[in-house]
Amino acid sequence: MDGKTLLEREQEHPQDVVVERDGRRVVTMDSARYVDAGNTLTDVVVPASYIGVLPARMIAIHRPRGVIGHDACVGKDGAGIAGLWYLEALGIPAATADGMTADMGNGADLYESGVVKHVNYIAETCGVKAGMTVREAADVLLDNDPTDTEVGNKVRREVVETHDSGRRVVVTDSIVWAYPEDENTSVLVTAGHTGRSGAKFLLEAKPWGFICHDGGMSKNRSGIAGLQTADEAGLAGACIDGTTAPIGDAFLGYAHGLISAHNEAAARRGVQAGMTVKEAAHLLLVGEA
């Protein structure tokens, strides 16, 4: 033995160029192992590996233009897609296909048959969305540069409903991104926890209403302890059930989450445990203090 690892010894990197234009390429391959320096900056790579942290490390050192891989049906602890956020932190757009739509270890099938299910923030800024085919998403990454590669500065924020009174429902990932104009005006749907520190930020923001995350409830139900603090200040609020939507992503919370807990001020506006986040946000919007 020469003391080298298989990664160091193996030289063959089977790749297939499926699209080429303007000096950029979409390149398919059966494994993240086959991403190499020839893919740096110009190529959207489509490796049929899971995009966990380990494959992401193999890919990231070569800095491709974008990455679309397989989600391995996500798996325990989200391991099949954990590399999406590893790549996000490095400013690399990345997405994964639903494991039931494409073969693992078959780059051609991933490209031809895969349907995107998970997307990191950098890829979102390029225009990639869940539900696109892998072929469509690869074209988007080929043609569009990220609008924000400084992930620490990202502020996702969208007004999703308005009321005749001028009030609105605003979805943003953290209560710390409340704007001055949200005071007594916005129902803020966020995805940080509703614990003691979360309550402090809520009291500073003074929204018309809020929905934050329950943090899985956690020890002593500390993930929702801020509900009572907010109630004492007259702020109506509720929590997203951590089993129905991930902490840190308010947009998934608004789209898919259910309510696990609420305070008395929110109950007076009609909010109940078990209802959808979208429905609860509407009730907080139209209800009176």
Side-chain angles (χ1 to χ4, degrees), residues 180-196:
E181 58 263 33
D182 293 321
E183 185 172 338
N184 295 319
T185 300
S186 299
V187 174
L188 294 173
V189 179
T190 75
H193 66 78
T194 320
R196 184 173 67 175

Side-chain angles (χ1 to χ4, degrees), residues 24-280:
R24 300 170 180 172
R25 309 183 301 174
V26 176
V27 183
T28 66
M29 55 202 74
D30 292 342
S31 172
R33 164 68 185 87
Y34 299 139
V35 178
D36 61 28
N39 306 121
T40 301
L41 299 179
T42 59
D43 292 350
V44 176
V45 296
V46 185
S49 293
Y50 72 102
I51 305 299
V53 173
L54 179 59
R57 286 167 53 199
M58 294 180 184
I59 294 167
I61 59 174
H62 300 298
R63 304 292 305 194
R65 179 175 177 81
V67 179
I68 305 176
H70 196 284
D71 75 3
C73 296
V74 182
K76 186 176 185 295
D77 298 331
I81 60 172
L84 288 176
W85 298 282
Y86 180 100
L87 295 169
E88 176 178 298
L90 297 174
I92 299 174
T96 52
D98 185 332
M100 298 309 294
T101 67
D103 293 344
M104 290 199 76
N106 184 337
D109 187 68
L110 175 62
Y111 180 71
E112 296 291 344
S113 303
V115 177
V116 171
K117 188 172 183 180
H118 301 280
V119 182
N120 74 11
Y121 171 72
I122 306 298
E124 279 185 25
T125 73
C126 294
V128 178
K129 297 179 180 179
M132 285 182 169
T133 66
V134 169
R135 181 190 289 266
E136 290 169 336
D139 276 342
V140 169
L141 292 179
L142 195 66
D143 294 335
N144 297 278
D145 295 325
T147 59
D148 179 7
T149 57
E150 298 296 328
V151 178
N153 295 329
K154 75 172 186 178
V155 177
R156 297 197 303 170
R157 180 182 170 95
E158 182 178 344
V159 177
V160 295
E161 185 179 357
T162 58
H163 186 258
D164 291 343
S165 65
R167 297 194 295 263
R168 66 272 180 91
V169 176
V170 176
V171 180
T172 190
D173 288 326
S174 174
I175 191 65
V176 302
W177 288 324
Y179 291 171
E181 58 263 33
D182 293 321
E183 185 172 338
N184 295 319
T185 300
S186 299
V187 174
L188 294 173
V189 179
T190 75
H193 66 78
T194 320
R196 184 173 67 175
S197 58
K200 177 179 181 293
F201 300 131
L202 285 164
L203 295 182
E204 291 175 359
K206 299 177 183 176
W208 179 252
F210 68 88
I211 300 176
C212 299
H213 200 276
D214 71 6
M217 295 295 185
S218 297
K219 180 183 175 182
N220 297 326
R221 294 172 67 85
S222 56
I224 64 169
L227 284 177
Q228 180 60 36
T229 304
D231 202 49
E232 292 168 358
L235 297 180
C239 295
I240 300 169
D241 185 335
T243 67
T244 65
I247 194 167
D249 191 325
F251 290 82
L252 289 179
Y254 184 72
H256 304 294
L258 301 178
I259 297 299
S260 61
H262 56 80
N263 62 20
E264 289 301 316
R268 289 193 291 272
R269 297 190 198 177
V271 175
Q272 298 178 16
M275 65 173 39
T276 66
V277 169
K278 190 174 294 187
E279 183 180 5

